Amino acid sequence: MEMQDRFIDSTLMNFVSDMNLMECPQKYALAPKQQVDDTPSGPTSQTRLNDSSWSQEVEDDVRTAPLMMGSPRYYSRGARGNAKSKRRRIITVVQRQAANVRERKRMFSLNEAFDELRRKVPTFAYEKRLSRIETLRLAIVYISFMMDLLENT
DNA sequence: TAGGCCATCTGGTCCT
DNA sequence: AGGACCAGATGGCCTA
């Protein structure tokens, strides 16, 4: 049993060495913006943007929505936003802020899952913190490696 | 200074 | 109707 553990340990170390993920040590503190507070930063007035929650056939002038909401900066709508949307959902500022808070919490839990995954994949202690994409790719390789190990023992 | 990474905002779509 | 999920855009931080 111990022999097998040692075998796996040394194999793991070789595996990690092969991953070519060794870089200079540095602490990768949490991003400065990582404060998940529930206090929205935008305007707080409960401005009703529209009477109905869905607008009628909105075509081109969709850029007005963020401006109407008093957004401090301009956000374009992304590629999918150009798709022919029959009916557009109009939400209040309060609803938008609540959605932002939910989204922050969702991303926070996603990052927690990434952190948990980082702890599962083997890396050297002094190695710099893996990025999300590095974590996913290393996990894929690691799982494949372990499956091969199981098949060959 | 360019590029990578990340947090955040936002609107569209899907689902309950 | 509203929440979850998704993806694009943007700006800030950090490193080579």
Side-chain angles (χ1 to χ4, degrees):
Chain A
M1 189 60 180
E2 277 190 15
M3 285 290 285
Q4 191 170 359
D5 285 346
R6 211 172 300 169
F7 167 71
I8 292 178
D9 279 351
S10 61
T11 313
L12 267 182
M13 295 312 288
N14 290 334
F15 166 76
V16 174
S17 300
D18 291 342
M19 286 308 297
N20 194 23
L21 286 168
M22 295 162 290
E23 312 237 31
C24 57
Q26 34 203 304
K27 54 172 179 276
Y28 205 112
L30 279 177
K33 280 188 285 189
Q34 188 136 3
Q35 72 265 14
V36 183
D37 59 341
D38 288 358
T39 56
S41 56
T44 56
S45 65
Q46 188 168 358
T47 319
R48 192 79 185 171
L49 297 177
N50 202 317
D51 284 339
S52 63
S53 84
W54 290 87
S55 71
Q56 303 277 39
E57 291 283 285
V58 181
E59 296 121 43
D60 296 335
D61 206 6
V62 290
R63 281 188 209 85
T64 56
L67 297 176
M68 288 165 62
M69 297 175 75
S71 176
R73 37 181 201 188
Y74 169 71
Y75 294 96
S76 64
R77 302 173 58 251
R80 296 196 310 163
N82 292 331
K84 55 296 169 188
S85 54
K86 299 269 193 275
R87 292 164 69 82
R88 192 159 63 89
R89 194 171 173 175
I90 304 294
I91 61 175
T92 65
V93 171
V94 171
Q95 284 174 319
R96 198 353 93 199
Q97 288 171 347
N100 290 346
V101 170
R102 287 195 303 272
E103 179 66 7
R104 282 199 295 271
K105 286 179 176 174
R106 195 182 71 84
M107 295 306 296
F108 183 78
S109 69
L110 180 67
N111 286 334
E112 278 185 330
F114 267 108
D115 285 338
E116 194 173 342
L117 184 59
R118 276 187 194 99
R119 289 193 292 271
K120 300 294 182 187
V121 295
T123 58
F124 289 120
Y126 55 80
E127 188 175 321
K128 89 170 170 67
R129 178 179 177 269
L130 294 175
S131 69
R132 293 193 286 194
I133 185 67
E134 285 171 337
T135 303
L136 288 179
R137 290 192 169 130
L138 180 57
I140 291 169
V141 174
Y142 180 52
I143 291 169
S144 301
F145 171 79
M146 296 304 278
M147 289 173 69
D148 285 347
L149 204 61
L150 281 177
E151 288 173 5
N152 297 327
T153 52

